[in-house]
Short mmCIF file of all heavy atoms in Angstrom, two decimals:
data_model
loop_
_atom_site.label_atom_id
_atom_site.label_comp_id
_atom_site.label_asym_id
_atom_site.label_seq_id
_atom_site.Cartn_x
_atom_site.Cartn_y
_atom_site.Cartn_z
N PRO A 926 31.99 3.07 124.98
CA PRO A 926 31.05 1.96 125.18
C PRO A 926 29.57 2.50 125.26
O PRO A 926 29.28 3.36 126.04
CB PRO A 926 31.53 1.36 126.55
CG PRO A 926 32.95 1.81 126.65
CD PRO A 926 33.04 3.14 125.97
N ARG A 927 28.77 1.86 124.42
CA ARG A 927 27.38 2.36 124.34
C ARG A 927 26.57 2.00 125.55
O ARG A 927 26.71 0.87 126.13
CB ARG A 927 26.72 1.76 123.11
CG ARG A 927 27.34 2.31 121.78
CD ARG A 927 26.99 3.81 121.65
NE ARG A 927 27.61 4.37 120.51
CZ ARG A 927 28.49 5.36 120.57
NH1 ARG A 927 28.82 5.84 121.76
NH2 ARG A 927 28.98 5.85 119.45
N GLN A 928 25.71 2.89 126.01
CA GLN A 928 24.91 2.65 127.21
C GLN A 928 23.40 2.75 126.89
O GLN A 928 22.59 2.03 127.48
CB GLN A 928 25.27 3.63 128.29
CG GLN A 928 26.68 3.49 128.81
CD GLN A 928 26.98 4.48 129.89
OE1 GLN A 928 26.12 4.98 130.56
NE2 GLN A 928 28.26 4.73 130.15
N GLU A 929 23.01 3.61 125.97
CA GLU A 929 21.60 3.86 125.75
C GLU A 929 21.31 3.92 124.22
O GLU A 929 22.25 3.93 123.39
CB GLU A 929 21.18 5.20 126.37
CG GLU A 929 21.42 5.28 127.89
CD GLU A 929 21.06 6.63 128.48
OE1 GLU A 929 21.93 7.52 128.39
OE2 GLU A 929 19.95 6.78 128.97
N PHE A 930 20.04 3.92 123.88
CA PHE A 930 19.68 4.08 122.50
C PHE A 930 18.36 4.89 122.37
O PHE A 930 17.53 4.90 123.31
CB PHE A 930 19.61 2.78 121.68
CG PHE A 930 18.51 1.88 122.18
CD1 PHE A 930 17.23 1.81 121.60
CD2 PHE A 930 18.76 0.97 123.24
CE1 PHE A 930 16.26 0.94 122.03
CE2 PHE A 930 17.75 0.04 123.66
CZ PHE A 930 16.52 0.06 123.03
N VAL A 931 18.23 5.60 121.29
CA VAL A 931 17.05 6.35 120.96
C VAL A 931 16.27 5.68 119.83
O VAL A 931 16.92 5.39 118.80
CB VAL A 931 17.38 7.83 120.54
CG1 VAL A 931 16.16 8.62 120.22
CG2 VAL A 931 18.25 8.48 121.67
N VAL A 932 15.02 5.40 120.06
CA VAL A 932 14.23 4.77 119.02
C VAL A 932 13.59 5.90 118.21
O VAL A 932 12.87 6.76 118.70
CB VAL A 932 13.10 3.87 119.62
CG1 VAL A 932 12.29 3.23 118.49
CG2 VAL A 932 13.69 2.85 120.52
N VAL A 933 13.87 5.88 116.90
CA VAL A 933 13.31 6.90 115.98
C VAL A 933 12.45 6.17 114.93
O VAL A 933 12.67 4.97 114.67
CB VAL A 933 14.35 7.72 115.28
CG1 VAL A 933 15.19 8.51 116.35
CG2 VAL A 933 15.31 6.90 114.46
N GLU A 934 11.49 6.90 114.35
CA GLU A 934 10.64 6.35 113.34
C GLU A 934 10.69 7.20 112.11
O GLU A 934 10.56 8.44 112.13
CB GLU A 934 9.23 6.26 113.87
CG GLU A 934 8.24 5.51 112.99
CD GLU A 934 6.91 5.34 113.60
OE1 GLU A 934 6.32 6.40 113.95
OE2 GLU A 934 6.43 4.23 113.71
N VAL A 935 10.95 6.56 110.94
CA VAL A 935 11.09 7.28 109.69
C VAL A 935 10.28 6.58 108.63
O VAL A 935 9.85 5.41 108.79
CB VAL A 935 12.55 7.34 109.18
CG1 VAL A 935 13.42 8.15 110.19
CG2 VAL A 935 13.14 5.96 109.02
N ASP A 936 10.02 7.25 107.50
CA ASP A 936 9.26 6.70 106.39
C ASP A 936 10.08 5.59 105.74
O ASP A 936 11.31 5.62 105.60
CB ASP A 936 8.90 7.74 105.37
CG ASP A 936 7.93 8.77 105.92
OD1 ASP A 936 7.10 8.36 106.81
OD2 ASP A 936 7.98 9.94 105.57
N SER A 937 9.35 4.58 105.26
CA SER A 937 9.95 3.50 104.47
C SER A 937 10.45 4.09 103.12
O SER A 937 9.82 5.01 102.60
CB SER A 937 8.95 2.40 104.22
OG SER A 937 9.44 1.47 103.27
N PRO A 938 11.51 3.58 102.56
CA PRO A 938 11.98 4.02 101.22
C PRO A 938 10.94 3.67 100.15
O PRO A 938 10.95 4.25 99.04
CB PRO A 938 13.24 3.26 100.96
CG PRO A 938 13.18 2.14 101.90
CD PRO A 938 12.43 2.53 103.08
N GLU A 939 10.06 2.70 100.40
CA GLU A 939 9.05 2.34 99.47
C GLU A 939 7.74 3.13 99.80
O GLU A 939 7.26 3.09 100.86
CB GLU A 939 8.72 0.85 99.53
CG GLU A 939 9.93 -0.06 99.25
CD GLU A 939 9.60 -1.51 99.41
OE1 GLU A 939 8.39 -1.80 99.65
OE2 GLU A 939 10.50 -2.32 99.29
N ALA A 940 7.31 3.90 98.82
CA ALA A 940 6.18 4.82 99.07
C ALA A 940 4.87 4.03 99.02
O ALA A 940 4.01 4.26 98.11
CB ALA A 940 6.23 5.96 98.07
N THR A 941 4.69 3.07 99.88
CA THR A 941 3.48 2.26 99.87
C THR A 941 2.86 2.23 101.26
O THR A 941 3.51 1.98 102.23
CB THR A 941 3.75 0.77 99.47
OG1 THR A 941 4.76 0.24 100.32
CG2 THR A 941 4.34 0.77 98.00
N LEU A 942 1.55 2.47 101.33
CA LEU A 942 0.81 2.27 102.55
C LEU A 942 1.33 3.14 103.74
O LEU A 942 1.08 2.78 104.87
CB LEU A 942 0.72 0.81 102.95
CG LEU A 942 0.17 -0.16 101.88
CD1 LEU A 942 0.26 -1.55 102.36
CD2 LEU A 942 -1.23 0.21 101.53
N ARG A 943 2.02 4.21 103.43
CA ARG A 943 2.53 5.10 104.50
C ARG A 943 3.30 4.32 105.60
O ARG A 943 3.23 4.55 106.74
CB ARG A 943 1.39 5.88 105.15
CG ARG A 943 0.63 6.80 104.19
CD ARG A 943 -0.33 7.67 104.94
NE ARG A 943 -1.29 6.86 105.72
CZ ARG A 943 -2.14 7.30 106.56
NH1 ARG A 943 -2.12 8.64 106.83
NH2 ARG A 943 -2.97 6.58 107.22
N GLU A 944 3.99 3.29 105.15
CA GLU A 944 4.74 2.42 106.05
C GLU A 944 5.90 3.18 106.74
O GLU A 944 6.58 3.97 106.08
CB GLU A 944 5.30 1.22 105.33
CG GLU A 944 6.02 0.26 106.23
CD GLU A 944 6.66 -0.92 105.49
OE1 GLU A 944 6.51 -0.93 104.28
OE2 GLU A 944 7.28 -1.77 106.07
N ARG A 945 6.05 2.98 108.04
CA ARG A 945 7.10 3.65 108.79
C ARG A 945 7.95 2.58 109.44
O ARG A 945 7.46 1.52 109.80
CB ARG A 945 6.55 4.66 109.78
CG ARG A 945 5.89 5.84 109.10
CD ARG A 945 5.28 6.83 110.07
NE ARG A 945 6.25 7.47 110.91
CZ ARG A 945 6.99 8.51 110.50
NH1 ARG A 945 6.88 9.00 109.25
NH2 ARG A 945 7.81 9.08 111.35
N ILE A 946 9.23 2.90 109.62
CA ILE A 946 10.21 1.95 110.16
C ILE A 946 10.80 2.51 111.41
O ILE A 946 11.21 3.68 111.47
CB ILE A 946 11.26 1.66 109.10
CG1 ILE A 946 10.65 1.00 107.84
CG2 ILE A 946 12.38 0.79 109.63
CD1 ILE A 946 11.60 0.80 106.75
N LYS A 947 10.95 1.65 112.43
CA LYS A 947 11.63 2.12 113.66
C LYS A 947 13.07 1.61 113.69
O LYS A 947 13.35 0.48 113.26
CB LYS A 947 10.91 1.56 114.93
CG LYS A 947 9.53 2.20 115.12
CD LYS A 947 8.95 1.68 116.43
CE LYS A 947 7.61 2.36 116.78
NZ LYS A 947 6.57 2.09 115.79
N ILE A 948 13.99 2.48 114.10
CA ILE A 948 15.39 2.17 114.15
C ILE A 948 15.98 2.71 115.47
O ILE A 948 15.58 3.77 115.92
CB ILE A 948 16.13 2.84 112.96
CG1 ILE A 948 15.63 2.21 111.64
CG2 ILE A 948 17.63 2.63 113.06
CD1 ILE A 948 16.16 2.92 110.42
N GLY A 949 16.94 2.00 116.05
CA GLY A 949 17.60 2.43 117.26
C GLY A 949 18.87 3.18 116.95
O GLY A 949 19.69 2.67 116.11
N ILE A 950 19.13 4.27 117.58
CA ILE A 950 20.35 5.05 117.42
C ILE A 950 21.16 4.92 118.71
O ILE A 950 20.75 5.36 119.77
CB ILE A 950 20.12 6.56 117.13
CG1 ILE A 950 19.17 6.68 115.94
CG2 ILE A 950 21.42 7.30 116.89
CD1 ILE A 950 19.70 6.22 114.62
N ALA A 951 22.34 4.22 118.64
CA ALA A 951 23.14 4.02 119.84
C ALA A 951 23.80 5.34 120.28
O ALA A 951 24.36 6.07 119.44
CB ALA A 951 24.21 3.00 119.53
N VAL A 952 23.71 5.63 121.57
CA VAL A 952 24.24 6.88 122.08
C VAL A 952 24.96 6.53 123.45
O VAL A 952 24.67 5.48 124.05
CB VAL A 952 23.22 7.95 122.33
CG1 VAL A 952 22.51 8.30 121.00
CG2 VAL A 952 22.19 7.59 123.38
N ASP A 953 25.82 7.43 123.87
CA ASP A 953 26.47 7.27 125.18
C ASP A 953 25.64 7.84 126.32
O ASP A 953 25.67 7.28 127.41
CB ASP A 953 27.84 7.97 125.15
CG ASP A 953 28.76 7.36 124.08
OD1 ASP A 953 29.14 6.18 124.23
OD2 ASP A 953 29.03 8.05 123.11
N LYS A 954 24.92 8.89 126.01
CA LYS A 954 24.11 9.49 127.05
C LYS A 954 23.05 10.36 126.48
O LYS A 954 23.20 10.98 125.38
CB LYS A 954 24.98 10.44 127.97
CG LYS A 954 24.30 10.89 129.27
CD LYS A 954 25.25 11.58 130.17
CE LYS A 954 24.59 12.00 131.47
NZ LYS A 954 25.49 12.65 132.45
N ILE A 955 21.84 10.39 127.10
CA ILE A 955 20.72 11.17 126.67
C ILE A 955 20.59 12.35 127.70
O ILE A 955 20.51 12.04 128.92
CB ILE A 955 19.44 10.35 126.64
CG1 ILE A 955 19.57 9.24 125.53
CG2 ILE A 955 18.22 11.25 126.28
CD1 ILE A 955 18.52 8.18 125.60
N PHE A 956 20.53 13.52 127.22
CA PHE A 956 20.51 14.71 128.10
C PHE A 956 19.05 15.24 128.27
O PHE A 956 18.37 14.87 129.17
CB PHE A 956 21.42 15.81 127.63
CG PHE A 956 22.87 15.43 127.74
CD1 PHE A 956 23.57 14.89 126.70
CD2 PHE A 956 23.58 15.51 128.96
CE1 PHE A 956 24.93 14.53 126.81
CE2 PHE A 956 24.86 15.18 129.08
CZ PHE A 956 25.55 14.66 128.01
N ASP A 957 18.59 16.01 127.37
CA ASP A 957 17.32 16.66 127.54
C ASP A 957 16.79 17.14 126.20
O ASP A 957 17.45 17.07 125.17
CB ASP A 957 17.45 17.83 128.51
CG ASP A 957 16.09 18.24 129.13
OD1 ASP A 957 15.11 17.49 128.91
OD2 ASP A 957 16.02 19.28 129.72
N VAL A 958 15.55 17.66 126.25
CA VAL A 958 14.96 18.25 125.01
C VAL A 958 15.30 19.73 125.03
O VAL A 958 15.12 20.42 126.11
CB VAL A 958 13.43 18.01 125.00
CG1 VAL A 958 12.80 18.82 123.88
CG2 VAL A 958 13.15 16.54 124.88
N SER A 959 15.64 20.29 123.87
CA SER A 959 15.93 21.69 123.76
C SER A 959 15.15 22.25 122.61
O SER A 959 14.93 21.55 121.56
CB SER A 959 17.43 21.89 123.53
OG SER A 959 17.73 23.29 123.32
N TYR A 960 14.71 23.51 122.71
CA TYR A 960 13.97 24.11 121.61
C TYR A 960 14.86 25.29 121.06
O TYR A 960 15.19 26.21 121.85
CB TYR A 960 12.63 24.67 122.13
CG TYR A 960 11.69 23.53 122.40
CD1 TYR A 960 11.59 23.00 123.70
CD2 TYR A 960 10.80 22.97 121.47
CE1 TYR A 960 10.75 21.89 124.03
CE2 TYR A 960 9.98 21.92 121.74
CZ TYR A 960 9.95 21.41 123.02
OH TYR A 960 9.12 20.33 123.27
N LEU A 961 15.16 25.20 119.83
CA LEU A 961 16.14 26.15 119.26
C LEU A 961 15.46 27.20 118.43
O LEU A 961 14.55 26.90 117.60
CB LEU A 961 17.14 25.35 118.35
CG LEU A 961 18.03 24.30 119.02
CD1 LEU A 961 18.87 23.61 117.97
CD2 LEU A 961 18.86 24.92 120.11
N ALA A 962 15.93 28.41 118.59
CA ALA A 962 15.52 29.53 117.68
C ALA A 962 16.36 29.42 116.43
O ALA A 962 17.51 28.95 116.37
CB ALA A 962 15.75 30.86 118.35
N ASN A 963 15.79 29.93 115.31
CA ASN A 963 16.52 29.86 114.04
C ASN A 963 17.85 30.60 114.13
O ASN A 963 18.87 30.21 113.53
CB ASN A 963 15.66 30.52 112.92
CG ASN A 963 14.49 29.65 112.57
OD1 ASN A 963 14.60 28.44 112.38
ND2 ASN A 963 13.30 30.25 112.49
N THR A 964 17.87 31.64 114.93
CA THR A 964 19.08 32.46 115.03
C THR A 964 20.22 31.75 115.78
O THR A 964 21.36 32.17 115.76
CB THR A 964 18.77 33.78 115.73
OG1 THR A 964 18.14 33.53 117.00
CG2 THR A 964 17.86 34.63 114.89
N GLN A 965 19.86 30.64 116.50
CA GLN A 965 20.82 29.91 117.25
C GLN A 965 21.65 28.89 116.43
O GLN A 965 22.62 28.34 116.90
CB GLN A 965 20.22 29.13 118.41
CG GLN A 965 19.60 30.05 119.52
CD GLN A 965 18.90 29.23 120.54
OE1 GLN A 965 17.71 28.97 120.48
NE2 GLN A 965 19.64 28.84 121.58
N VAL A 966 21.17 28.62 115.20
CA VAL A 966 21.81 27.63 114.31
C VAL A 966 22.80 28.33 113.41
O VAL A 966 22.44 29.24 112.69
CB VAL A 966 20.74 26.84 113.55
CG1 VAL A 966 21.45 25.81 112.64
CG2 VAL A 966 19.73 26.24 114.45
N GLU A 967 24.05 27.82 113.45
CA GLU A 967 25.11 28.37 112.63
C GLU A 967 25.52 27.35 111.58
O GLU A 967 25.27 26.15 111.72
CB GLU A 967 26.31 28.83 113.49
CG GLU A 967 25.97 29.83 114.58
CD GLU A 967 27.08 30.13 115.47
OE1 GLU A 967 28.20 29.49 115.24
OE2 GLU A 967 26.98 30.89 116.41
#
C-alpha cells in the first residue's frame, strides 16, 4: 500500500521552450540522500 510519493521533473518530449514536466513517483518509504562513488556501482 502506497504511503508517499516523490515529485520529479523531467524534460518534455517536445523540444520546445525548454518545457519541463512534473510527475509523482509512488513509493512505500523515503529514506535518505546517498552519494555514490563510481566504484560502488555494479
Side-chain angles (χ1 to χ4, degrees):
R927 293 292 176 242
Q928 298 182 19
E929 301 176 277
F930 64 95
V931 180
V932 182
V933 299
E934 189 174 55
V935 297
D936 292 328
S937 167
E939 301 178 4
T941 58
L942 302 177
R943 299 188 302 171
E944 182 181 0
R945 292 177 67 79
I946 298 174
K947 290 184 175 65
I948 297 172
I950 306 296
V952 303
D953 299 293
K954 191 171 183 180
I955 297 169
F956 292 97
D957 200 9
V958 173
S959 177
Y960 291 90
L961 298 177
N963 289 314
T964 55
Q965 293 177 271
V966 180
E967 302 176 1

